[in-house]
Amino acid sequence: MDLNRQTYLALLNEGKVAHAAGDPSDACPYDQYSPDPEQQFGARYWTRGWVEARTAAEAAAPGPGQASTGQ
């Protein structure tokens, strides 16, 4: 795996797709504790993509405290 911008963007997208599929954040296929830098890189950016997708989903769906009061 090349540790470059294209790989970074692909890993972000992998994490976002995993979130959309309903996978939990700990379903990351990469090992963040591995001595292999490629595994650490994969874990870091896959998780970042998953978190970005979760944040966007939470912002798009109003929670119970964000409901309109009808005013």
PDB file of all heavy atoms in Angstrom, residues 31-37 39-40:
ATOM      1  N   ASP A  31      -5.264  -2.829  11.691  1.00  0.00           N
ATOM      2  CA  ASP A  31      -4.828  -2.941  13.081  1.00  0.00           C
ATOM      3  C   ASP A  31      -4.022  -1.714  13.477  1.00  0.00           C
ATOM      4  O   ASP A  31      -2.898  -1.530  13.021  1.00  0.00           O
ATOM      5  CB  ASP A  31      -3.980  -4.201  13.248  1.00  0.00           C
ATOM      6  CG  ASP A  31      -3.514  -4.423  14.674  1.00  0.00           C
ATOM      7  OD1 ASP A  31      -3.971  -3.687  15.582  1.00  0.00           O
ATOM      8  OD2 ASP A  31      -2.695  -5.328  14.880  1.00  0.00           O
ATOM      9  N   GLN A  32      -4.597  -0.879  14.329  1.00  0.00           N
ATOM     10  CA  GLN A  32      -3.909   0.344  14.730  1.00  0.00           C
ATOM     11  C   GLN A  32      -2.698   0.077  15.617  1.00  0.00           C
ATOM     12  O   GLN A  32      -1.833   0.926  15.759  1.00  0.00           O
ATOM     13  CB  GLN A  32      -4.867   1.291  15.426  1.00  0.00           C
ATOM     14  CG  GLN A  32      -5.384   0.793  16.758  1.00  0.00           C
ATOM     15  CD  GLN A  32      -6.310   1.781  17.413  1.00  0.00           C
ATOM     16  OE1 GLN A  32      -6.272   2.975  17.113  1.00  0.00           O
ATOM     17  NE2 GLN A  32      -7.168   1.304  18.303  1.00  0.00           N
ATOM     18  N   TYR A  33      -2.622  -1.104  16.219  1.00  0.00           N
ATOM     19  CA  TYR A  33      -1.507  -1.434  17.111  1.00  0.00           C
ATOM     20  C   TYR A  33      -0.422  -2.263  16.430  1.00  0.00           C
ATOM     21  O   TYR A  33       0.533  -2.675  17.072  1.00  0.00           O
ATOM     22  CB  TYR A  33      -2.027  -2.175  18.345  1.00  0.00           C
ATOM     23  CG  TYR A  33      -3.035  -1.356  19.109  1.00  0.00           C
ATOM     24  CD1 TYR A  33      -4.363  -1.742  19.164  1.00  0.00           C
ATOM     25  CD2 TYR A  33      -2.664  -0.180  19.745  1.00  0.00           C
ATOM     26  CE1 TYR A  33      -5.303  -0.978  19.844  1.00  0.00           C
ATOM     27  CE2 TYR A  33      -3.589   0.582  20.422  1.00  0.00           C
ATOM     28  CZ  TYR A  33      -4.899   0.180  20.468  1.00  0.00           C
ATOM     29  OH  TYR A  33      -5.828   0.932  21.135  1.00  0.00           O
ATOM     30  N   SER A  34      -0.579  -2.507  15.162  1.00  0.00           N
ATOM     31  CA  SER A  34       0.401  -3.292  14.410  1.00  0.00           C
ATOM     32  C   SER A  34       1.714  -2.517  14.280  1.00  0.00           C
ATOM     33  O   SER A  34       1.705  -1.292  14.180  1.00  0.00           O
ATOM     34  CB  SER A  34      -0.148  -3.577  13.010  1.00  0.00           C
ATOM     35  OG  SER A  34       0.843  -4.150  12.196  1.00  0.00           O
ATOM     36  N   PRO A  35       2.839  -3.221  14.260  1.00  0.00           N
ATOM     37  CA  PRO A  35       4.111  -2.523  14.014  1.00  0.00           C
ATOM     38  C   PRO A  35       4.243  -2.102  12.547  1.00  0.00           C
ATOM     39  O   PRO A  35       5.124  -1.316  12.202  1.00  0.00           O
ATOM     40  CB  PRO A  35       5.173  -3.560  14.383  1.00  0.00           C
ATOM     41  CG  PRO A  35       4.489  -4.875  14.301  1.00  0.00           C
ATOM     42  CD  PRO A  35       3.034  -4.626  14.589  1.00  0.00           C
ATOM     43  N   ASP A  36       3.344  -2.583  11.684  1.00  0.00           N
ATOM     44  CA  ASP A  36       3.362  -2.252  10.265  1.00  0.00           C
ATOM     45  C   ASP A  36       2.754  -0.864  10.039  1.00  0.00           C
ATOM     46  O   ASP A  36       1.582  -0.637  10.349  1.00  0.00           O
ATOM     47  CB  ASP A  36       2.559  -3.312   9.502  1.00  0.00           C
ATOM     48  CG  ASP A  36       2.526  -3.081   8.005  1.00  0.00           C
ATOM     49  OD1 ASP A  36       3.293  -2.231   7.513  1.00  0.00           O
ATOM     50  OD2 ASP A  36       1.731  -3.762   7.334  1.00  0.00           O
ATOM     51  N   PRO A  37       3.515   0.083   9.483  1.00  0.00           N
ATOM     52  CA  PRO A  37       2.986   1.428   9.267  1.00  0.00           C
ATOM     53  C   PRO A  37       1.778   1.459   8.327  1.00  0.00           C
ATOM     54  O   PRO A  37       0.909   2.320   8.465  1.00  0.00           O
ATOM     55  CB  PRO A  37       4.149   2.210   8.662  1.00  0.00           C
ATOM     56  CG  PRO A  37       5.312   1.325   8.647  1.00  0.00           C
ATOM     57  CD  PRO A  37       4.901  -0.033   9.092  1.00  0.00           C
ATOM     58  N   GLN A  39      -0.664  -0.766   8.218  1.00  0.00           N
ATOM     59  CA  GLN A  39      -1.834  -1.094   9.034  1.00  0.00           C
ATOM     60  C   GLN A  39      -2.247   0.101   9.898  1.00  0.00           C
ATOM     61  O   GLN A  39      -3.433   0.400  10.030  1.00  0.00           O
ATOM     62  CB  GLN A  39      -1.541  -2.304   9.924  1.00  0.00           C
ATOM     63  CG  GLN A  39      -1.499  -3.610   9.174  1.00  0.00           C
ATOM     64  CD  GLN A  39      -2.880  -4.031   8.715  1.00  0.00           C
ATOM     65  OE1 GLN A  39      -3.857  -3.993   9.462  1.00  0.00           O
ATOM     66  NE2 GLN A  39      -2.966  -4.454   7.458  1.00  0.00           N
ATOM     67  N   GLN A  40      -1.276   0.792  10.473  1.00  0.00           N
ATOM     68  CA  GLN A  40      -1.570   1.967  11.291  1.00  0.00           C
ATOM     69  C   GLN A  40      -2.202   3.073  10.444  1.00  0.00           C
ATOM     70  O   GLN A  40      -3.171   3.717  10.862  1.00  0.00           O
ATOM     71  CB  GLN A  40      -0.296   2.483  11.952  1.00  0.00           C
ATOM     72  CG  GLN A  40       0.282   1.537  12.969  1.00  0.00           C
ATOM     73  CD  GLN A  40       1.618   2.011  13.509  1.00  0.00           C
ATOM     74  OE1 GLN A  40       2.091   3.095  13.193  1.00  0.00           O
ATOM     75  NE2 GLN A  40       2.236   1.188  14.330  1.00  0.00           N
TER      76      GLN A  40
END
